Amino acid sequence: QVQLVESGGGLVQAGGSLRLSCAASGRTFSSYHMGWFRQAPGKKREFVAASKWSGGNTYYADSVKGRFTISRDNAKNTVYLQMNSLKPEDTAVYYCAAGSTLGIPTMAATYAYWGQGTQVTVSS
C-alpha cells in the first residue's frame, strides 16, 4: 500500500519554473516505478515523465523533454518534477503515481497508486 501526496503546484508566468514534490508513505518505496502524468481541461490524461525504481532510467514525453526533469530520493520517499521554461500549454493538474516494476513506465495502466493532483497554471 502506498499513499502519495503532491505539492508545489501554483501559478507561474511563462518561462518560469516550478518544482513539484510527491511524498510517499508505505514500505519499499524504492521498489516502485514512479511517474508524473497531467490532465489539462477538456483533454485526456497524458504521460509526462517516469523513473524506474533504480533511478537509472528516465522517460519523458516529447513535449517536455529538455525542460522537465524527474528525480527521486528513495531515502526520503519522495519524487520530484523540476519544470523549467514553462509554457501556457503546460497548464494542467499534475499527478504522481507509483507502479509495478513489471509494467511499462510510460503507460498509466502501469500505476496502481495515484496522488490527488496539484494544479499548475502557466500564464502568458
Side-chain angles (χ1 to χ4, degrees):
Q1 178 71 273
V2 177
Q3 295 182 23
L4 305 172
V5 179
E6 302 97 334
S7 63
L11 176 65
V12 65
Q13 293 182 336
S17 298
L18 285 173
R19 189 179 76 159
L20 305 183
S21 298
C22 177
S25 61
R27 65 181 185 273
T28 61
F29 173 83
S30 63
S31 68
Y32 293 94
H33 293 329
M34 298 298 297
W36 288 95
F37 293 78
R38 67 187 183 186
Q39 187 166 17
K43 295 185 177 181
K44 295 181 178 180
R45 181 176 55 186
E46 66 176 352
F47 167 76
V48 177
S51 173
K52 289 189 173 182
W53 71 270
S54 66
N57 293 296
T58 57
Y59 306 83
Y60 297 95
D62 288 342
S63 60
V64 306
K65 192 172 297 182
R67 299 188 297 120
F68 291 10
T69 303
I70 186 171
S71 62
R72 63 194 296 167
D73 187 335
N74 289 336
K76 296 182 178 180
N77 285 356
T78 302
V79 62
Y80 305 94
L81 185 68
Q82 178 66 46
M83 304 185 294
N84 298 326
S85 301
L86 283 162
K87 304 174 181 179
E89 51 263 45
D90 294 319
T91 296
V93 177
Y94 284 71
Y95 300 89
C96 70
S100 171
T101 58
L102 298 177
I104 301 172
T106 59
M107 296 185 63
T110 292
Y111 299 91
Y113 305 101
W114 294 81
Q116 82 289 346
T118 185
Q119 177 71 48
V120 172
T121 302
V122 184
S123 63
S124 300

